Amino acid sequence: MDYQSLAKEIIESVGGKKNIISLVHCATRLRFKLVNPELAETERLKTLDEVIAVVDSGGQFQVVIGNQVGDVYQAIMSFSNIGLEADEANEIKPEIAEKKSTLLARLIDIVSGIFTPFIGVMAASGIMKGLLALAVACHLLNTESGTYQIWYAASDALFFFFPLFIGYTAGQKFGGTPFITMVIGGALTHPLMIKAFEASQTGEIAEHFLGIPVVFINYSSSVIPIILASWVSCAIEKRIRPLLPLAVRSFFTPVICLATVVPLTFLGIGPLATWLSHLLAEGYEVIYRFAPWLAGAALGAAWQICVIFGLHWGLVPLIFNNLVVFGQDSMLPMILPAVMGQIGAVLGIFFYTKDPRQKALAGSSFSAGIFGVTEPAIYGLTLPLRRPFIIGCIAGSLGGAIVGFVGTHTYSFGLANIFTLIQIIPPSGIDSTVWGAFIGNAVAVLVGCLGTYFWGRRTQLTELAPVVDIAISNAVSTTESSLPTHITASEKTITLLSPMTGQVIAMADIPDPTFAGGLLGQGIAILPNKGEVHAPFSGTVESLFVTKHALGLRSEQGVEVLIHVGIDTVKLAGEPFTLHVAEGDQITAGDLLLTFNCQAITDAGLSLVTPILVTNSDDFSTVECVADSEVTEQQPLLIITA
């Protein structure tokens, strides 16, 4: 993959460098914050083979890439002057940020911006903790051994010094100097402060700051105190920095921030944030204890819907907060079945599809899904096919209800993936909550797989009427006696007529990789010698493009067809095209649907090759071309076998 070319194309498609305020990435997505989101060319991005989907949600313009997102991110960042400082961007378009940003959008943007830079090492640390717990439970290691303690230090370092890492990324996110906020995080976890906390627990004399009593709290692994402290520090920095002389600005700014914010954090921000943390955790526990199975069912059903819009980051602080306050979390185990439900749905598609491309995509999506990356499965398969996505959510809900009912918890943070099953092992060893989690996730996979295999096809083959030949004209009766002798109802075949006259082009020879690769379905192409498109069957006009260059049709038997006149003709903005039907119209084989000016298209330097694709071809056994090298409109073009 040419990452540099892709990076350049993405930058141009989001409105150029000057339209980018900031950019971070998570496991699968580039998350842009744009000065003016309206400048982004969403449709242009979607045409890129490497882009799975584009989502504008949560105050972020998200470009879903998949497993290569890290390499693409590095390629984008290799370009100089990417993005503007937040205050500079607001000077350009302050009204846009105000109009587009809601409270929820700002919250999601802040959370994802703070946590995504180190999500990979967070997941790795959680997996290591889970593996160590498994090793202890299986008596392979004991907690007193040097081997265990060194590996435990490696797995726990991030979480113990969490305020330092969050301080750095929060400083970046809030537009301040990240090393200042990182030092504030270091102060919260300094050995002297931890020693003072331990002394206060034993009832020794309380400490004071300038005569004000200090309530010492152990801030190791905490989240909310350092985020609030970083926000205050960045706000102070932005106000005092311009007021200081240039000669002393670089070191007096940190002096003022550290001298004021660190004491303020220990005196007020920290205790207040800790109180809020406990209040939030207790509030969640009240809901969870009321009906754990209901909480699991809701999370299992809704998690992947949140993933689609990038809203799942809003729950990440709750998971961390539960781990800090209680030392365990019940939310992550209930989310895992949602992932497993989509994995099961992809597995069902893998087993039933006869399309080699779709089978390969299902296999790769399954592999990514077991490690918690479900975007390729969602955007590439289950969501476009609709029913598999719904079945996957139902499966996740059933599995989540079981996990919630048995009371499973995790004891370290991680992504919801196969390794979560080792992070649920309690310090006391494997118990019924662990086996309940295995059962719940197994149910999610099985329901997702079997439900998709038997009921997940977008158009069920059993719903197809006894196969009829639609190679008929308006003047011919539609009785079975009129069917050509080579097609009978018992063969369960459908004939798609040629919508135009011209030269037949093999699918592999279409001068566009998206069409040629079968990403939109199987079929054929025609190089027309006359600017007319006629109905290839009797049915309905399902969709019309604003630029009039393409039509989506659906036959009475459920065959869905895309007729795309020319390659890249969307650029012509509809000028050479004239529609003769409207969306929702009933059509009969042979009806004139569209006319176009062949000369105008070729004069624009564009190809007239017209792909004719069965977009739900995975619902059928075969889609076979029966035309010769030349075809006339209303002659048999494709034979579709159920």
Side-chain angles (χ1 to χ4, degrees):
M1 183 185 293
D2 185 355
Y3 294 117
Q4 291 296 321
S5 298
L6 176 60
K8 184 178 180 181
E9 188 73 23
I10 291 174
I11 291 172
E12 291 175 355
S13 298
V14 299
K17 300 176 187 178
K18 292 297 184 181
N19 197 38
I20 303 172
I21 296 175
S22 63
L23 170 63
V24 295
H25 76 89
C26 55
T28 59
R29 307 174 188 218
L30 297 170
R31 295 171 174 266
F32 291 93
K33 188 172 183 180
L34 303 179
V35 177
N36 185 357
E38 294 176 1
L39 296 179
E41 301 177 60
T42 302
E43 294 305 319
R44 177 180 174 183
L45 280 168
K46 289 180 179 178
T47 63
L48 301 177
D49 292 339
E50 298 84 356
V51 173
I52 298 174
V54 179
V55 180
D56 188 0
S57 178
Q60 296 177 331
F61 189 82
Q62 304 168 24
V63 181
V64 184
I65 300 292
N67 295 331
Q68 296 85 19
V69 67
D71 296 317
V72 178
Y73 171 82
Q74 292 298 333
I76 292 176
M77 297 307 292
S78 68
F79 289 90
S80 60
N81 301 322
I82 291 294
L84 301 168
E85 293 297 326
D87 51 354
E88 182 183 348
N90 288 335
E91 288 175 10
I92 297 174
K93 286 285 185 181
E95 73 281 358
I96 292 175
E98 185 69 25
K99 181 167 55 177
K100 293 289 183 181
S101 184
T102 64
L103 180 60
L104 177 62
R106 290 198 295 270
L107 175 63
I108 298 298
D109 180 60
I110 290 171
V111 171
S112 61
I114 291 174
F115 288 101
T116 51
F118 51 89
I119 188 67
V121 72
M122 276 196 296
S125 298
I127 291 169
M128 286 188 68
K129 279 179 170 283
L131 290 172
L132 286 173
L134 181 63
V136 171
C138 296
H139 304 291
L140 299 176
L141 288 175
N142 68 76
T143 57
E144 302 300 322
S145 68
T147 302
Y148 174 88
Q149 291 177 2
I150 289 174
W151 272 340
Y152 184 82
S155 67
D156 193 53
L158 171 67
F159 300 111
F160 186 86
F161 296 107
F162 223 13
L164 277 83
F165 293 90
I166 293 179
Y168 184 86
T169 56
Q172 285 184 315
K173 186 61 188 173
F174 293 131
T177 302
F179 286 106
I180 296 177
T181 49
M182 186 179 182
V183 171
I184 295 172
L188 295 180
T189 55
H190 195 278
L192 283 177
M193 298 299 97
I194 294 178
K195 183 179 178 181
F197 164 74
E198 293 172 347
S200 67
Q201 296 297 101
T202 61
E204 296 182 19
I205 299 174
E207 298 290 345
H208 294 74
F209 176 81
L210 298 179
I212 304 172
V214 179
V215 178
F216 284 104
I217 298 170
N218 187 355
Y219 292 108
S220 294
S221 304
S222 63
V223 175
I224 297 179
I226 183 58
I227 292 177
L228 292 179
S230 297
W231 178 75
V232 171
S233 174
C234 292
I236 292 174
E237 180 185 353
K238 289 177 183 178
R239 283 163 176 77
I240 65 170
R241 189 178 183 88
L243 302 177
L244 296 173
L246 190 61
V248 298
R249 181 180 298 172
S250 62
F251 52 87
F252 264 105
T253 300
V255 166
I256 295 172
C257 289
L258 294 176
T260 56
V261 177
V262 171
L264 186 61
T265 301
F266 281 103
L267 291 171
I269 296 174
L272 175 62
T274 302
W275 175 77
L276 289 174
S277 299
H278 284 266
L279 188 65
L280 191 63
E282 291 294 343
Y284 167 77
E285 278 295 299
V286 168
I287 298 172
Y288 175 72
R289 289 170 185 163
F290 172 73
W293 65 270
L294 184 59
L299 274 176
W303 179 254
Q304 295 298 346
I305 299 173
C306 293
V307 168
I308 292 174
F309 298 103
L311 301 177
H312 55 302
W313 278 102
L315 296 178
V316 170
L318 290 177
I319 297 174
F320 278 117
N321 196 55
N322 289 340
L323 288 168
V324 172
V325 175
F326 301 124
Q328 59 186 24
D329 169 63
S330 59
M331 189 175 292
L332 186 59
M334 295 187 293
I335 290 170
L336 181 58
V339 174
M340 294 301 172
Q342 292 299 316
I343 291 174
V346 166
L347 207 55
I349 295 171
F350 179 84
F351 287 135
Y352 81 62
T353 185
K354 298 177 177 64
D355 181 355
R357 181 200 64 84
Q358 198 171 65
K359 190 177 286 287
L361 181 58
S364 62
S365 297
F366 175 81
S367 301
I370 62 176
F371 295 108
V373 181
T374 54
E375 280 91 342
I378 294 172
Y379 294 116
L381 287 169
T382 61
L383 194 59
L385 294 173
R386 294 190 294 275
R387 289 188 186 180
F389 180 77
I390 295 171
I391 292 171
C393 290
I394 293 171
S397 181
L398 292 173
I402 294 172
V403 172
F405 180 77
V406 299
T408 305
H409 289 75
T410 54
Y411 299 88
S412 60
F413 179 80
L415 299 175
N417 58 34
I418 193 70
F419 292 108
T420 305
L421 294 174
I422 59 175
Q423 294 173 239
I424 62 176
I425 301 174
S428 58
I430 296 174
D431 58 16
S432 60
T433 64
V434 176
W435 296 117
F438 273 89
I439 293 171
N441 284 281
V443 167
V445 173
L446 286 174
V447 171
C449 179
L450 296 177
T452 300
Y453 183 83
F454 290 108
W455 300 289
R457 308 180 194 190
R458 186 166 53 180
T459 305
Q460 293 297 310
L461 300 183
T462 55
E463 293 172 359
L464 294 175
V467 176
V468 296
D469 189 352
I470 42 182
I472 53 177
S473 66
N474 292 337
V476 180
S477 170
T478 57
T479 60
E480 186 173 331
S481 60
S482 68
L483 294 175
T485 57
H486 69 285
I487 299 175
T488 65
S490 61
E491 289 178 332
K492 295 185 178 180
T493 58
I494 301 171
T495 299
L496 187 147
L497 305 180
S498 177
M500 52 178 55
T501 298
Q503 178 186 346
V504 177
I505 306 293
M507 187 171 167
D509 296 329
I510 299 175
D512 182 282
T514 301
F515 294 122
L519 296 177
L520 298 177
Q522 300 299 307
I524 201 71
I526 295 176
L527 179 60
N529 53 30
K530 184 169 65 172
E532 294 182 358
V533 177
H534 294 262
F537 45 57
S538 296
T540 309
V541 178
E542 289 288 294
S543 60
L544 296 173
F545 287 70
V546 175
T547 49
K548 308 175 188 177
H549 69 292
L551 310 96
L553 310 175
R554 182 182 176 89
S555 78
E556 295 171 345
Q557 293 75 34
V559 180
E560 298 176 4
V561 170
L562 171 69
I563 302 174
H564 190 288
V565 179
I567 303 299
D568 289 334
T569 46
V570 66
K571 298 175 181 177
L572 301 178
E575 290 184 6
F577 304 98
T578 302
L579 286 168
H580 299 278
V581 290
E583 193 169 303
D585 282 359
Q586 297 296 312
I587 56 174
T588 303
D591 285 352
L592 181 63
L593 307 179
L594 174 70
T595 54
F596 55 94
N597 188 326
C598 296
Q599 191 61 46
I601 294 174
T602 55
D603 287 347
L606 302 175
S607 172
L608 276 168
V609 172
T610 299
I612 301 159
L613 307 176
V614 179
T615 54
N616 62 339
S617 53
D618 56 284
D619 290 342
F620 304 96
S621 298
T622 59
V623 177
E624 180 183 0
C625 178
V626 293
D628 295 327
S629 58
E630 298 285 339
V631 68
T632 304
E633 65 186 57
Q634 299 304 288
Q635 285 185 345
L637 179 66
L638 297 173
I639 294 291
I640 303 164
T641 306

